[in-house]
Amino acid sequence: MITNTELERKGNQFPGPITTFSQKADTFNIASNNGVLLQITVIRDSMFRFRYATEGNFPPDFSYALDKNATHGYNHLEYQETPDTYIIKTAKLVLHIDRISLKKRIYDIDGTLINEDEAGFHWEFSYEHGSDIVKMSKHAQKMESYYGLGDKPMHFNLKGKRVENWVTDQYAFGKDQDPLYKAIPFYVGLHSDKAYGIFFDNTFRTFFDFCQERRDTTSFWAQGGEMNYYFIYGPGIDRVVSSYTDLTGKPEMPPLWALGFHQSKWSYYPENNVREVASKFRELRIPCDAIYLDIDYMDGFRCFTWNNNYFPDPKKMIDELEEDGFKTVAIIDPGIKIDKDYDIYKEALEKDYFCKRADGPLMKGKVWPGECNFPDFTNPKVREWWADLYHELIGETGVHGVWNDMNEPAVMEVPTKTFPLDVRHDYDGHPCSHRKAHNIYGMQMARATYHGVKKYTYPKRPFIITRSAYSGAQRYCSSWTGDNVATWEHLWVANQQIQRMCLSGMSFIGTDIGGFAEQPTGELFSRWVQLGVFHPFCRVHSSGDHGDQEPWSFDEEVTNIVRDYVEMRYELLPYLYTMFWEYAQDGIPMIKPLVYFDQEDHQTFYRTDEFIFGNDILVCPILEPNAQGRRMYIPRGHWYNYWSDEVVEGGKELWVDADINKIPLFVRSGAMIPKYPVQQYVGEKKIETLTLDVYYKEGKGKAKVYEDAQDGYDYKKGRFSMRSFKLTGKSNELIIQQHKEGKFVTEYDTITLKFHGLPFKVTAIELDNQLDTSIKFNGEATLEITKDFTELHLIGE
């Protein structure tokens, strides 16, 4: 038989000339002569949505990524026509669309070219899958840099890289290995000191090429679905990231204990082992707020069960751990063991809640319990059912938080490590194959878990962790970077991943401190803790196969170093909590890479190690053994060495001493850093004073301190406390002003100010415009005043 292989549609295809152009409110609809449609929606003055179709119509508009509360609206919108182009103009952007090719150029209002199509939109029909491979290519501008895209374990600046989004269980992954556990199809471009972002909201397997194939071209494409992307203009990286985070959603405030130090292992069992670990923390006076139960707490790894041999009375254990200040966090995986005597399995089977193959049988795969079926978390009824399964674990037994693992979904003993692509999903009433649902499966499991934990912990706040995530998962949970390795290279990788995730809208993120696989040396563990306490989520986790990894598992020196740094984190809890408030309110990343901090300083474009913790603390980890210090880049401005109070001028590299018990730390001049006393766990002590470390600056500084009940939802009713401080420093005086918002009354009555770098001797103190001789310095540079002051004036000679 001879087959004619000449196909009508072959290779890349492109839009033809525009035939119609129309406007309806904020949306422009464009059609070409070969059936291509382009729909442009003006989301804001600084944000466009571009949506393409190739068959003359659009499928239903649906996204798991977008937040229904995202900001919309613009101040100005007009369009005009020329012989060659259509021009759409907002208050911040000018968009040119070529009449012949549909290629686009985007300028800012000052006329700077920000983003320009190269080939623009094009597509190729896949006869294997029966759908389009949709593609977009852009001209790379001179000296353009690229950042973002989630958990990629590679150099922070992605220029010259090609990456893939297909969430994958990668045990003991290596540097530059891709893809990993997250699919965050958002990146930031920076050139001409101006930034923009692109969010490619497509859940199929996607790819991004940042000038690897062609040094003057960047491109992104997907193996199915729509070419559907959002263009977000800054010009600051801060505005780009905040706008993207607003679009895909911001989290609620976590309970304060979730920001403490957590200890985990695969696995702590039986019960006496859990109690021994908890007791040792208290004995050694190392603060800790949570202890984790991995899969061995279950009966044969069946979800929502307990192994009664290991844990005969889990509620009693959890209650007694809580009396000692420990919250219990338990793991839940998606695989449901095939067992006719297992009630959860029987119920899901009866209600038809499991994923199915294309020709009807249930999706079957091996994970920890053995052969399992898997709930279809893209079905709203399944999510509701799953949420209710937490009634016993959370509502009755008293577990405080849930950790969703293996939800890529991971499947053992198959080359792909996941479901076959023919598995079918409901996709919230838009039925599809696993090709489309794979990247959001874990996110939808975390979503269901969030609603269940929230329901049964109420009136307290939920705490959920997920390994797999897609854009928008930050609305439901925190995350960690997966199964890393106890090596110095992975310490470097951890630093890249956390900075990248924070820039990608998911700030509540951490790593397995010390490494999950293999065994760290005491030195590596110490250096990892020194970095990890400055990450938003702070947890030691390891595979028990490789030995113990508790703070006391090495030697007394390591134990003391760990204690010192964990205590530092607990002192900084009000600073960290305020960081989270800014993230939850305004989408401000909790960790700020140097390029985010100062995008006009070109020395920051390729810096990988240094970062800003919150707004004012500069951190640079030690990333190699036997180091007595390192060279690091100090950003522009003046900075105090945290350890010595020496002031250095930034904008250059410096050598910084850092023996085994030190990490390079600097505080920005003009900063006011809030601190609590050290506690062994959140809530152990009554906070009797708020300490404010004030770093003198000749000029102005500012700070905020957010506080509330540390749990519950009264903060949403205005029962919070927001203190805003302004600092004005002169050669012989210092003024600190305070403005207070919110109805929450803090339990402390005084604020203790510790002054760093005062260049004058204080001869008089005015409080609220009155000379106050009763206020005295305690020690060299510390004084205590009422928390309700509005202005403090130090006068010197």
Side-chain angles (χ1 to χ4, degrees), residues 263-265 268-269 271-284 286 288 290-292 321 324 326 548 550-552:
Q263 182 71 37
S264 182
K265 181 181 181 178
Y268 288 131
Y269 73 96
E271 177 181 323
N272 67 322
N273 181 221
V274 178
R275 291 181 181 273
E276 286 169 2
V277 172
S279 177
K280 194 70 172 177
F281 270 100
R282 298 297 180 245
E283 175 191 337
L284 294 175
I286 301 173
C288 184
I291 194 161
Y292 284 60
L321 285 171
D324 202 18
F326 288 95
D548 295 332
E550 292 75 40
W552 52 87

PDB file of all heavy atoms in Angstrom, residues 263-265 268-269 271-284 286 288 290-292 321 324 326 548 550-552:
ATOM      1  N   GLN A 263      10.955  20.434  62.754  1.00  0.00           N
ATOM      2  CA  GLN A 263      11.838  19.271  62.657  1.00  0.00           C
ATOM      3  C   GLN A 263      11.076  18.097  62.054  1.00  0.00           C
ATOM      4  O   GLN A 263       9.979  17.755  62.501  1.00  0.00           O
ATOM      5  CB  GLN A 263      12.375  18.881  64.030  1.00  0.00           C
ATOM      6  CG  GLN A 263      13.335  17.711  64.014  1.00  0.00           C
ATOM      7  CD  GLN A 263      14.689  18.051  63.396  1.00  0.00           C
ATOM      8  OE1 GLN A 263      15.200  19.157  63.578  1.00  0.00           O
ATOM      9  NE2 GLN A 263      15.267  17.109  62.662  1.00  0.00           N
ATOM     10  N   SER A 264      11.682  17.474  61.036  1.00  0.00           N
ATOM     11  CA  SER A 264      11.028  16.381  60.330  1.00  0.00           C
ATOM     12  C   SER A 264      12.052  15.318  59.963  1.00  0.00           C
ATOM     13  O   SER A 264      13.264  15.567  59.948  1.00  0.00           O
ATOM     14  CB  SER A 264      10.343  16.909  59.060  1.00  0.00           C
ATOM     15  OG  SER A 264       9.666  15.883  58.367  1.00  0.00           O
ATOM     16  N   LYS A 265      11.529  14.122  59.659  1.00  0.00           N
ATOM     17  CA  LYS A 265      12.376  13.028  59.232  1.00  0.00           C
ATOM     18  C   LYS A 265      11.485  11.950  58.616  1.00  0.00           C
ATOM     19  O   LYS A 265      10.325  11.793  58.995  1.00  0.00           O
ATOM     20  CB  LYS A 265      13.137  12.447  60.436  1.00  0.00           C
ATOM     21  CG  LYS A 265      14.094  11.299  60.114  1.00  0.00           C
ATOM     22  CD  LYS A 265      14.744  10.808  61.405  1.00  0.00           C
ATOM     23  CE  LYS A 265      15.716   9.677  61.153  1.00  0.00           C
ATOM     24  NZ  LYS A 265      16.377   9.247  62.408  1.00  0.00           N
ATOM     25  N   TYR A 268       9.771   9.601  61.962  1.00  0.00           N
ATOM     26  CA  TYR A 268       9.766   9.508  63.413  1.00  0.00           C
ATOM     27  C   TYR A 268       8.666   8.535  63.846  1.00  0.00           C
ATOM     28  O   TYR A 268       7.471   8.844  63.750  1.00  0.00           O
ATOM     29  CB  TYR A 268       9.533  10.881  64.044  1.00  0.00           C
ATOM     30  CG  TYR A 268      10.712  11.824  63.917  1.00  0.00           C
ATOM     31  CD1 TYR A 268      10.552  13.128  63.467  1.00  0.00           C
ATOM     32  CD2 TYR A 268      11.995  11.411  64.265  1.00  0.00           C
ATOM     33  CE1 TYR A 268      11.620  13.999  63.356  1.00  0.00           C
ATOM     34  CE2 TYR A 268      13.082  12.276  64.158  1.00  0.00           C
ATOM     35  CZ  TYR A 268      12.886  13.557  63.703  1.00  0.00           C
ATOM     36  OH  TYR A 268      13.965  14.411  63.596  1.00  0.00           O
ATOM     37  N   TYR A 269       9.041   7.383  64.278  1.00  0.00           N
ATOM     38  CA  TYR A 269       8.122   6.387  64.829  1.00  0.00           C
ATOM     39  C   TYR A 269       8.958   5.366  65.592  1.00  0.00           C
ATOM     40  O   TYR A 269      10.161   5.233  65.335  1.00  0.00           O
ATOM     41  CB  TYR A 269       7.306   5.718  63.707  1.00  0.00           C
ATOM     42  CG  TYR A 269       8.087   4.744  62.850  1.00  0.00           C
ATOM     43  CD1 TYR A 269       8.062   3.376  63.110  1.00  0.00           C
ATOM     44  CD2 TYR A 269       8.880   5.186  61.781  1.00  0.00           C
ATOM     45  CE1 TYR A 269       8.787   2.469  62.335  1.00  0.00           C
ATOM     46  CE2 TYR A 269       9.600   4.301  61.003  1.00  0.00           C
ATOM     47  CZ  TYR A 269       9.564   2.946  61.289  1.00  0.00           C
ATOM     48  OH  TYR A 269      10.275   2.052  60.526  1.00  0.00           O
ATOM     49  N   GLU A 271       5.796   6.051  68.754  1.00  0.00           N
ATOM     50  CA  GLU A 271       5.466   7.222  69.552  1.00  0.00           C
ATOM     51  C   GLU A 271       6.602   7.639  70.471  1.00  0.00           C
ATOM     52  O   GLU A 271       6.895   8.837  70.608  1.00  0.00           O
ATOM     53  CB  GLU A 271       4.204   6.944  70.374  1.00  0.00           C
ATOM     54  CG  GLU A 271       3.809   8.081  71.300  1.00  0.00           C
ATOM     55  CD  GLU A 271       2.564   7.757  72.113  1.00  0.00           C
ATOM     56  OE1 GLU A 271       1.649   7.101  71.574  1.00  0.00           O
ATOM     57  OE2 GLU A 271       2.524   8.163  73.291  1.00  0.00           O
ATOM     58  N   ASN A 272       7.278   6.689  71.087  1.00  0.00           N
ATOM     59  CA  ASN A 272       8.330   7.066  72.032  1.00  0.00           C
ATOM     60  C   ASN A 272       9.480   7.777  71.328  1.00  0.00           C
ATOM     61  O   ASN A 272      10.162   8.620  71.921  1.00  0.00           O
ATOM     62  CB  ASN A 272       8.833   5.846  72.822  1.00  0.00           C
ATOM     63  CG  ASN A 272       9.569   4.841  71.962  1.00  0.00           C
ATOM     64  OD1 ASN A 272       9.181   4.603  70.820  1.00  0.00           O
ATOM     65  ND2 ASN A 272      10.618   4.244  72.505  1.00  0.00           N
ATOM     66  N   ASN A 273       9.709   7.487  70.049  1.00  0.00           N
ATOM     67  CA  ASN A 273      10.733   8.193  69.283  1.00  0.00           C
ATOM     68  C   ASN A 273      10.337   9.653  69.081  1.00  0.00           C
ATOM     69  O   ASN A 273      11.169  10.566  69.225  1.00  0.00           O
ATOM     70  CB  ASN A 273      10.952   7.499  67.943  1.00  0.00           C
ATOM     71  CG  ASN A 273      12.028   8.162  67.087  1.00  0.00           C
ATOM     72  OD1 ASN A 273      11.862   8.291  65.881  1.00  0.00           O
ATOM     73  ND2 ASN A 273      13.135   8.571  67.691  1.00  0.00           N
ATOM     74  N   VAL A 274       9.067   9.882  68.766  1.00  0.00           N
ATOM     75  CA  VAL A 274       8.568  11.258  68.606  1.00  0.00           C
ATOM     76  C   VAL A 274       8.741  12.028  69.912  1.00  0.00           C
ATOM     77  O   VAL A 274       9.241  13.165  69.926  1.00  0.00           O
ATOM     78  CB  VAL A 274       7.084  11.247  68.182  1.00  0.00           C
ATOM     79  CG1 VAL A 274       6.552  12.679  68.062  1.00  0.00           C
ATOM     80  CG2 VAL A 274       6.910  10.501  66.862  1.00  0.00           C
ATOM     81  N   ARG A 275       8.365  11.411  70.994  1.00  0.00           N
ATOM     82  CA  ARG A 275       8.460  12.070  72.300  1.00  0.00           C
ATOM     83  C   ARG A 275       9.920  12.340  72.680  1.00  0.00           C
ATOM     84  O   ARG A 275      10.243  13.376  73.261  1.00  0.00           O
ATOM     85  CB  ARG A 275       7.778  11.225  73.371  1.00  0.00           C
ATOM     86  CG  ARG A 275       6.252  11.147  73.231  1.00  0.00           C
ATOM     87  CD  ARG A 275       5.657  10.300  74.350  1.00  0.00           C
ATOM     88  NE  ARG A 275       4.219  10.173  74.264  1.00  0.00           N
ATOM     89  CZ  ARG A 275       3.341  11.032  74.790  1.00  0.00           C
ATOM     90  NH1 ARG A 275       3.789  12.110  75.418  1.00  0.00           N
ATOM     91  NH2 ARG A 275       2.049  10.812  74.688  1.00  0.00           N
ATOM     92  N   GLU A 276      10.808  11.399  72.350  1.00  0.00           N
ATOM     93  CA  GLU A 276      12.228  11.584  72.664  1.00  0.00           C
ATOM     94  C   GLU A 276      12.803  12.786  71.922  1.00  0.00           C
ATOM     95  O   GLU A 276      13.567  13.582  72.493  1.00  0.00           O
ATOM     96  CB  GLU A 276      13.012  10.326  72.303  1.00  0.00           C
ATOM     97  CG  GLU A 276      12.805   9.159  73.257  1.00  0.00           C
ATOM     98  CD  GLU A 276      13.385   7.868  72.713  1.00  0.00           C
ATOM     99  OE1 GLU A 276      13.984   7.905  71.606  1.00  0.00           O
ATOM    100  OE2 GLU A 276      13.239   6.820  73.371  1.00  0.00           O
ATOM    101  N   VAL A 277      12.463  12.915  70.644  1.00  0.00           N
ATOM    102  CA  VAL A 277      12.961  14.040  69.850  1.00  0.00           C
ATOM    103  C   VAL A 277      12.442  15.351  70.430  1.00  0.00           C
ATOM    104  O   VAL A 277      13.196  16.324  70.620  1.00  0.00           O
ATOM    105  CB  VAL A 277      12.567  13.889  68.375  1.00  0.00           C
ATOM    106  CG1 VAL A 277      12.904  15.151  67.587  1.00  0.00           C
ATOM    107  CG2 VAL A 277      13.275  12.682  67.756  1.00  0.00           C
ATOM    108  N   ALA A 278      11.146  15.393  70.721  1.00  0.00           N
ATOM    109  CA  ALA A 278      10.562  16.610  71.285  1.00  0.00           C
ATOM    110  C   ALA A 278      11.212  16.957  72.619  1.00  0.00           C
ATOM    111  O   ALA A 278      11.554  18.131  72.878  1.00  0.00           O
ATOM    112  CB  ALA A 278       9.057  16.429  71.448  1.00  0.00           C
ATOM    113  N   SER A 279      11.396  15.970  73.457  1.00  0.00           N
ATOM    114  CA  SER A 279      11.992  16.194  74.779  1.00  0.00           C
ATOM    115  C   SER A 279      13.416  16.718  74.668  1.00  0.00           C
ATOM    116  O   SER A 279      13.841  17.583  75.452  1.00  0.00           O
ATOM    117  CB  SER A 279      11.957  14.887  75.580  1.00  0.00           C
ATOM    118  OG  SER A 279      12.580  15.051  76.825  1.00  0.00           O
ATOM    119  N   LYS A 280      14.160  16.207  73.683  1.00  0.00           N
ATOM    120  CA  LYS A 280      15.549  16.623  73.518  1.00  0.00           C
ATOM    121  C   LYS A 280      15.639  18.096  73.118  1.00  0.00           C
ATOM    122  O   LYS A 280      16.547  18.815  73.555  1.00  0.00           O
ATOM    123  CB  LYS A 280      16.235  15.747  72.471  1.00  0.00           C
ATOM    124  CG  LYS A 280      17.755  15.861  72.461  1.00  0.00           C
ATOM    125  CD  LYS A 280      18.377  15.237  73.700  1.00  0.00           C
ATOM    126  CE  LYS A 280      19.893  15.175  73.606  1.00  0.00           C
ATOM    127  NZ  LYS A 280      20.507  14.629  74.839  1.00  0.00           N
ATOM    128  N   PHE A 281      14.711  18.559  72.285  1.00  0.00           N
ATOM    129  CA  PHE A 281      14.690  19.981  71.929  1.00  0.00           C
ATOM    130  C   PHE A 281      14.543  20.834  73.180  1.00  0.00           C
ATOM    131  O   PHE A 281      15.262  21.830  73.362  1.00  0.00           O
ATOM    132  CB  PHE A 281      13.548  20.280  70.954  1.00  0.00           C
ATOM    133  CG  PHE A 281      13.931  20.151  69.512  1.00  0.00           C
ATOM    134  CD1 PHE A 281      13.602  19.018  68.787  1.00  0.00           C
ATOM    135  CD2 PHE A 281      14.629  21.161  68.870  1.00  0.00           C
ATOM    136  CE1 PHE A 281      13.954  18.892  67.455  1.00  0.00           C
ATOM    137  CE2 PHE A 281      14.986  21.052  67.537  1.00  0.00           C
ATOM    138  CZ  PHE A 281      14.654  19.906  66.828  1.00  0.00           C
ATOM    139  N   ARG A 282      13.617  20.450  74.035  1.00  0.00           N
ATOM    140  CA  ARG A 282      13.391  21.252  75.247  1.00  0.00           C
ATOM    141  C   ARG A 282      14.575  21.137  76.218  1.00  0.00           C
ATOM    142  O   ARG A 282      14.976  22.130  76.848  1.00  0.00           O
ATOM    143  CB  ARG A 282      12.089  20.815  75.919  1.00  0.00           C
ATOM    144  CG  ARG A 282      10.849  21.019  75.055  1.00  0.00           C
ATOM    145  CD  ARG A 282      10.607  22.485  74.727  1.00  0.00           C
ATOM    146  NE  ARG A 282       9.417  22.667  73.894  1.00  0.00           N
ATOM    147  CZ  ARG A 282       9.427  23.127  72.651  1.00  0.00           C
ATOM    148  NH1 ARG A 282      10.586  23.472  72.081  1.00  0.00           N
ATOM    149  NH2 ARG A 282       8.307  23.269  71.977  1.00  0.00           N
ATOM    150  N   GLU A 283      15.144  19.959  76.313  1.00  0.00           N
ATOM    151  CA  GLU A 283      16.296  19.761  77.200  1.00  0.00           C
ATOM    152  C   GLU A 283      17.467  20.635  76.773  1.00  0.00           C
ATOM    153  O   GLU A 283      18.142  21.247  77.621  1.00  0.00           O
ATOM    154  CB  GLU A 283      16.696  18.287  77.191  1.00  0.00           C
ATOM    155  CG  GLU A 283      17.948  17.979  77.988  1.00  0.00           C
ATOM    156  CD  GLU A 283      18.472  16.574  77.742  1.00  0.00           C
ATOM    157  OE1 GLU A 283      17.683  15.699  77.322  1.00  0.00           O
ATOM    158  OE2 GLU A 283      19.683  16.344  77.950  1.00  0.00           O
ATOM    159  N   LEU A 284      17.724  20.710  75.477  1.00  0.00           N
ATOM    160  CA  LEU A 284      18.860  21.465  74.960  1.00  0.00           C
ATOM    161  C   LEU A 284      18.536  22.936  74.718  1.00  0.00           C
ATOM    162  O   LEU A 284      19.394  23.698  74.269  1.00  0.00           O
ATOM    163  CB  LEU A 284      19.369  20.828  73.661  1.00  0.00           C
ATOM    164  CG  LEU A 284      19.967  19.429  73.796  1.00  0.00           C
ATOM    165  CD1 LEU A 284      20.315  18.859  72.430  1.00  0.00           C
ATOM    166  CD2 LEU A 284      21.206  19.454  74.697  1.00  0.00           C
ATOM    167  N   ILE A 286      16.686  24.359  72.424  1.00  0.00           N
ATOM    168  CA  ILE A 286      16.687  24.751  71.014  1.00  0.00           C
ATOM    169  C   ILE A 286      15.232  24.981  70.616  1.00  0.00           C
ATOM    170  O   ILE A 286      14.430  24.047  70.639  1.00  0.00           O
ATOM    171  CB  ILE A 286      17.316  23.670  70.120  1.00  0.00           C
ATOM    172  CG1 ILE A 286      18.762  23.404  70.546  1.00  0.00           C
ATOM    173  CG2 ILE A 286      17.251  24.079  68.656  1.00  0.00           C
ATOM    174  CD1 ILE A 286      19.408  22.228  69.828  1.00  0.00           C
ATOM    175  N   CYS A 288      11.697  25.159  68.949  1.00  0.00           N
ATOM    176  CA  CYS A 288      11.063  24.359  67.903  1.00  0.00           C
ATOM    177  C   CYS A 288       9.553  24.419  68.094  1.00  0.00           C
ATOM    178  O   CYS A 288       9.060  24.292  69.217  1.00  0.00           O
ATOM    179  CB  CYS A 288      11.551  22.908  67.958  1.00  0.00           C
ATOM    180  SG  CYS A 288      10.905  21.873  66.614  1.00  0.00           S
ATOM    181  N   ALA A 290       7.248  22.709  65.654  1.00  0.00           N
ATOM    182  CA  ALA A 290       6.487  21.643  64.988  1.00  0.00           C
ATOM    183  C   ALA A 290       7.353  20.415  64.785  1.00  0.00           C
ATOM    184  O   ALA A 290       8.550  20.519  64.515  1.00  0.00           O
ATOM    185  CB  ALA A 290       5.947  22.133  63.643  1.00  0.00           C
ATOM    186  N   ILE A 291       6.708  19.269  64.910  1.00  0.00           N
ATOM    187  CA  ILE A 291       7.351  18.001  64.615  1.00  0.00           C
ATOM    188  C   ILE A 291       6.476  17.260  63.618  1.00  0.00           C
ATOM    189  O   ILE A 291       5.242  17.348  63.663  1.00  0.00           O
ATOM    190  CB  ILE A 291       7.585  17.186  65.911  1.00  0.00           C
ATOM    191  CG1 ILE A 291       8.551  16.037  65.645  1.00  0.00           C
ATOM    192  CG2 ILE A 291       6.275  16.708  66.524  1.00  0.00           C
ATOM    193  CD1 ILE A 291       9.178  15.477  66.919  1.00  0.00           C
ATOM    194  N   TYR A 292       7.114  16.528  62.694  1.00  0.00           N
ATOM    195  CA  TYR A 292       6.417  15.977  61.533  1.00  0.00           C
ATOM    196  C   TYR A 292       6.338  14.457  61.602  1.00  0.00           C
ATOM    197  O   TYR A 292       7.273  13.790  62.058  1.00  0.00           O
ATOM    198  CB  TYR A 292       7.140  16.382  60.248  1.00  0.00           C
ATOM    199  CG  TYR A 292       6.896  17.811  59.834  1.00  0.00           C
ATOM    200  CD1 TYR A 292       7.249  18.873  60.672  1.00  0.00           C
ATOM    201  CD2 TYR A 292       6.316  18.121  58.612  1.00  0.00           C
ATOM    202  CE1 TYR A 292       7.024  20.185  60.304  1.00  0.00           C
ATOM    203  CE2 TYR A 292       6.082  19.436  58.230  1.00  0.00           C
ATOM    204  CZ  TYR A 292       6.441  20.468  59.072  1.00  0.00           C
ATOM    205  OH  TYR A 292       6.216  21.769  58.699  1.00  0.00           O
ATOM    206  N   LEU A 321       2.070  16.680  73.312  1.00  0.00           N
ATOM    207  CA  LEU A 321       3.092  17.439  72.591  1.00  0.00           C
ATOM    208  C   LEU A 321       2.711  18.917  72.539  1.00  0.00           C
ATOM    209  O   LEU A 321       3.570  19.792  72.704  1.00  0.00           O
ATOM    210  CB  LEU A 321       3.255  16.893  71.162  1.00  0.00           C
ATOM    211  CG  LEU A 321       4.003  15.574  71.004  1.00  0.00           C
ATOM    212  CD1 LEU A 321       3.873  15.063  69.572  1.00  0.00           C
ATOM    213  CD2 LEU A 321       5.483  15.722  71.376  1.00  0.00           C
ATOM    214  N   ASP A 324       3.532  20.897  75.481  1.00  0.00           N
ATOM    215  CA  ASP A 324       4.952  21.242  75.541  1.00  0.00           C
ATOM    216  C   ASP A 324       5.361  22.170  74.397  1.00  0.00           C
ATOM    217  O   ASP A 324       6.556  22.375  74.148  1.00  0.00           O
ATOM    218  CB  ASP A 324       5.789  19.962  75.517  1.00  0.00           C
ATOM    219  CG  ASP A 324       7.186  20.177  76.096  1.00  0.00           C
ATOM    220  OD1 ASP A 324       7.392  21.182  76.808  1.00  0.00           O
ATOM    221  OD2 ASP A 324       8.076  19.351  75.820  1.00  0.00           O
ATOM    222  N   PHE A 326       4.629  21.876  71.019  1.00  0.00           N
ATOM    223  CA  PHE A 326       4.846  21.304  69.692  1.00  0.00           C
ATOM    224  C   PHE A 326       3.525  21.126  68.945  1.00  0.00           C
ATOM    225  O   PHE A 326       2.592  20.508  69.466  1.00  0.00           O
ATOM    226  CB  PHE A 326       5.537  19.936  69.789  1.00  0.00           C
ATOM    227  CG  PHE A 326       6.966  20.003  70.195  1.00  0.00           C
ATOM    228  CD1 PHE A 326       7.334  19.850  71.526  1.00  0.00           C
ATOM    229  CD2 PHE A 326       7.963  20.233  69.247  1.00  0.00           C
ATOM    230  CE1 PHE A 326       8.659  19.918  71.909  1.00  0.00           C
ATOM    231  CE2 PHE A 326       9.295  20.306  69.628  1.00  0.00           C
ATOM    232  CZ  PHE A 326       9.644  20.146  70.963  1.00  0.00           C
ATOM    233  N   ASP A 548      20.957  10.195  61.301  1.00  0.00           N
ATOM    234  CA  ASP A 548      20.220  11.217  62.044  1.00  0.00           C
ATOM    235  C   ASP A 548      20.621  12.614  61.599  1.00  0.00           C
ATOM    236  O   ASP A 548      21.760  12.861  61.208  1.00  0.00           O
ATOM    237  CB  ASP A 548      20.484  11.059  63.542  1.00  0.00           C
ATOM    238  CG  ASP A 548      19.932   9.756  64.094  1.00  0.00           C
ATOM    239  OD1 ASP A 548      18.937   9.251  63.529  1.00  0.00           O
ATOM    240  OD2 ASP A 548      20.497   9.241  65.080  1.00  0.00           O
ATOM    241  N   GLU A 550      19.166  15.568  63.471  1.00  0.00           N
ATOM    242  CA  GLU A 550      18.698  16.526  64.455  1.00  0.00           C
ATOM    243  C   GLU A 550      19.862  17.451  64.829  1.00  0.00           C
ATOM    244  O   GLU A 550      21.024  17.118  64.596  1.00  0.00           O
ATOM    245  CB  GLU A 550      18.159  15.806  65.696  1.00  0.00           C
ATOM    246  CG  GLU A 550      16.878  15.033  65.454  1.00  0.00           C
ATOM    247  CD  GLU A 550      17.112  13.743  64.683  1.00  0.00           C
ATOM    248  OE1 GLU A 550      18.128  13.059  64.957  1.00  0.00           O
ATOM    249  OE2 GLU A 550      16.287  13.423  63.797  1.00  0.00           O
ATOM    250  N   PRO A 551      19.576  18.599  65.428  1.00  0.00           N
ATOM    251  CA  PRO A 551      20.655  19.549  65.742  1.00  0.00           C
ATOM    252  C   PRO A 551      21.743  18.980  66.635  1.00  0.00           C
ATOM    253  O   PRO A 551      22.877  19.475  66.607  1.00  0.00           O
ATOM    254  CB  PRO A 551      19.902  20.691  66.442  1.00  0.00           C
ATOM    255  CG  PRO A 551      18.519  20.631  65.900  1.00  0.00           C
ATOM    256  CD  PRO A 551      18.234  19.178  65.686  1.00  0.00           C
ATOM    257  N   TRP A 552      21.423  17.956  67.427  1.00  0.00           N
ATOM    258  CA  TRP A 552      22.413  17.375  68.341  1.00  0.00           C
ATOM    259  C   TRP A 552      23.112  16.137  67.768  1.00  0.00           C
ATOM    260  O   TRP A 552      23.825  15.439  68.481  1.00  0.00           O
ATOM    261  CB  TRP A 552      21.722  17.000  69.659  1.00  0.00           C
ATOM    262  CG  TRP A 552      20.494  16.143  69.460  1.00  0.00           C
ATOM    263  CD1 TRP A 552      20.439  14.783  69.354  1.00  0.00           C
ATOM    264  CD2 TRP A 552      19.149  16.599  69.332  1.00  0.00           C
ATOM    265  NE1 TRP A 552      19.143  14.351  69.159  1.00  0.00           N
ATOM    266  CE2 TRP A 552      18.326  15.460  69.147  1.00  0.00           C
ATOM    267  CE3 TRP A 552      18.538  17.863  69.345  1.00  0.00           C
ATOM    268  CZ2 TRP A 552      16.947  15.545  68.982  1.00  0.00           C
ATOM    269  CZ3 TRP A 552      17.175  17.944  69.183  1.00  0.00           C
ATOM    270  CH2 TRP A 552      16.385  16.809  69.008  1.00  0.00           C
TER     271      TRP A 552
END
